[in-house]
Amino acid sequence: MEYRISNRAASLTPSLTLEIDAKAKRMKAEGQDVVGFGAGEPDFDTPQHIKDAAAAALAAGFTKYTPAAGIPELRKAIADKHRRENGLEYAPEQIIVSCGGKHACYNVILATCQEGDEVLIPSPYWLSYPEMVKLAGATPVILPTTDRTEFKVTAEQLRAAITPRTRLFILNSPSNPTGTVYSPEEVRALGDVCIEHGVLIMSDEIYEHLLYDGAVHRSVASFSRAHYEHTILVHGFAKAWSMTGWRLGWTAAPEPIARAIDAIQSHSTSNPTSFAQKGGVAALTGPQDHLKTWLAEFDRRRTYAWRRLNQIPGLSCVNARGAFYLFPNISGTGLKSTEFCKRLLEAEKVAAVPGIAFGADDYIRISYATSMENLEKGLDRIERFCRALVG
């Protein structure tokens, strides 16, 4: 039988980060000594009190359907978090709990965008943003940046890109894949442009708690009532609580958009996993002691990897101030990112993600969410590989 695939599905590019991570794991399973720099998840375990809460929920039989938008206890805990940490007032009805941060992003785009709309996305971007926009029938419009500006789009660049068809601007700070953190002044300026032109903002703040060198996160929704009304926040439990496999995220939105997201979710996934939500409550209301320890270790690795990368022939790298990624420029090697990563994996058994996946072909992404031993070994191999290329 000849199967017909929809145009939207056929237009998608599979996730290169997941593909490379899976290939590295297959090679490891075959006994090869592979160093993986591709994973976008902390290498620390989920804190014990969170696991205990989910285990207790399972033991108590909390395994049935919940409201599609999440249990009231978790929605309230999220609203309390935004009030306490971000100075933002959301009613629990404005919070929709989803099956991960990725699901939350997709819900927002489906709820706000349609055929004929344009969505502005700074590059380098998280690789799923453009694909989600295409699935919604809208058009992704890429705003390129480079390491010369620390991968930041300016208010002037944003204003020049807006057309009558512009519906949504995607802001991700701290950023995946670059680790860039916009200052509060820069965030406000971008928000001002969107207000001026009636453009919505999807603010992906999932790396909010992972900051270094005195960097400050401020949500674009927090500057004024107008900023709040133009912003849909996306967040999740994956990064700051190492709950990637739990698939638990959320949106905080103006009430009409929250209702639309709730309706979409009720007809797609329905509720997030019941007992995982109990773990989410524990994550937000329990101790946060783990984060100080994790940040100190991430910072140690970041500093080491950044210094090493800048000592390697053919590479240069601006330092990240958030998340757990570095985004070195490889143009001095004479290779583009796909060829560089393919040859690196074959020759030195190091898995990195080609920058082309993020819209930046002169770069690769290195995750330092791995042990210092792996960092040292992997960077030794990258140095050997690059010296063979450029001498």
Side-chain angles (χ1 to χ4, degrees):
M1 178 176 177
E2 183 177 345
Y3 295 98
R4 183 172 64 86
I5 305 302
S6 72
N7 290 337
R8 287 184 182 177
S11 73
L12 298 179
T13 302
S15 170
L16 259 180
T17 53
L18 295 180
E19 179 184 331
I20 287 167
D21 191 46
K23 183 173 182 178
K25 287 175 179 174
R26 283 197 305 270
M27 293 171 69
K28 285 182 180 178
E30 294 166 358
Q32 299 185 53
D33 179 22
V34 176
V35 176
F37 287 151
E41 61 181 351
D43 56 318
F44 305 111
D45 194 10
T46 306
Q48 189 62 44
H49 68 281
I50 301 173
K51 296 194 291 184
D52 289 344
L58 272 171
F62 192 71
T63 58
K64 308 299 183 184
Y65 292 131
T66 76
I71 59 176
E73 183 184 6
L74 180 53
R75 296 171 81 185
K76 181 181 184 302
I78 293 169
D80 289 346
K81 171 258 182 284
H82 283 300
R83 182 180 305 109
R84 182 177 65 248
E85 297 184 4
N86 308 108
L88 293 169
E89 293 291 335
Y90 289 103
E93 293 74 25
Q94 294 176 264
I95 307 296
I96 309 296
V97 185
S98 58
C99 303
K102 181 179 284 191
H103 184 213
C105 291
Y106 189 41
N107 279 344
V108 170
I109 293 168
L110 277 184
T112 59
C113 300
Q114 58 192 8
E115 286 83 356
D117 290 338
E118 294 177 346
V119 178
L120 301 181
I121 307 173
S123 73
Y125 45 72
W126 180 51
L127 74 178
S128 291
Y129 293 146
E131 307 306 314
M132 291 175 179
V133 170
K134 289 188 282 186
L135 279 171
T139 301
V141 177
I142 307 304
L143 308 182
T145 70
T146 71
D147 48 1
R148 291 191 296 275
T149 60
E150 295 185 24
F151 303 109
K152 292 178 180 180
V153 67
T154 65
E156 292 74 23
Q157 187 180 5
L158 175 60
R159 183 179 287 107
I162 292 174
T163 74
R165 297 173 61 187
T166 305
R167 174 65 173 161
L168 186 68
F169 168 60
I170 296 180
L171 177 63
N172 178 212
S173 176
S175 163
N176 175 5
T178 64
T180 292
V181 181
Y182 285 81
S183 72
E185 296 75 19
E186 291 165 335
V187 170
R188 178 166 195 160
L190 293 171
D192 288 345
V193 172
C194 290
I195 293 167
E196 177 187 334
H197 292 276
V199 173
L200 292 172
I201 306 159
M202 186 180 87
S203 183
D204 185 345
E205 302 181 10
I206 198 166
Y207 292 95
E208 170 190 9
H209 296 101
L210 304 183
L211 298 167
Y212 319 102
D213 292 344
V216 174
H217 168 82
R218 183 163 176 185
S219 175
V220 65
S222 70
F223 288 99
S224 72
R225 187 67 192 178
H227 288 83
Y228 176 94
E229 291 174 348
H230 281 75
T231 301
I232 307 111
L233 299 187
V234 174
H235 214 305
F237 294 89
K239 312 303 180 181
W241 294 276
S242 194
M243 296 170 66
T244 49
W246 292 60
R247 308 316 303 137
L248 206 60
W250 74 81
T251 53
E255 199 165 325
I257 293 176
R259 286 198 301 270
I261 292 171
D262 189 9
I264 289 169
Q265 187 159 295
S266 72
H267 289 294
S268 52
T269 60
S270 190
N271 62 276
T273 302
S274 56
F275 47 88
Q277 293 185 64
K278 291 291 188 177
V281 173
L284 291 175
T285 61
Q288 308 295 315
D289 304 350
H290 69 281
L291 198 53
K292 183 177 180 181
T293 304
W294 291 8
L295 282 172
E297 179 59 19
F298 279 147
D299 191 25
R300 186 170 77 97
R301 299 171 186 176
R302 175 188 71 108
T303 301
Y304 171 79
W306 171 70
R307 287 174 177 163
R308 282 293 311 275
L309 286 165
N310 280 298
Q311 294 167 357
I312 295 175
L315 304 189
S316 63
C317 186
V318 297
N319 206 354
R321 301 187 71 196
F324 38 68
Y325 309 106
L326 290 167
F327 206 62
N329 189 322
I330 61 165
S331 59
T333 68
L335 297 179
K336 292 298 186 181
S337 62
T338 301
E339 183 68 12
F340 183 97
C341 289
K342 178 184 176 184
R343 290 170 60 175
L344 177 64
L345 185 58
E346 291 172 351
E348 294 290 351
K349 303 294 188 291
V350 174
V353 186
I356 190 64
F358 311 104
D361 206 10
D362 284 331
Y363 303 83
I364 62 172
R365 192 188 76 174
I366 299 290
S367 169
Y368 50 88
T370 187
S371 68
M372 184 62 80
E373 179 186 2
N374 271 346
L375 271 179
E376 292 171 354
K377 182 194 296 185
L379 290 168
D380 285 346
R381 294 178 182 185
I382 290 176
E383 180 169 359
R384 185 164 62 224
F385 175 73
C386 289
R387 288 193 182 280
L389 287 174
V390 301

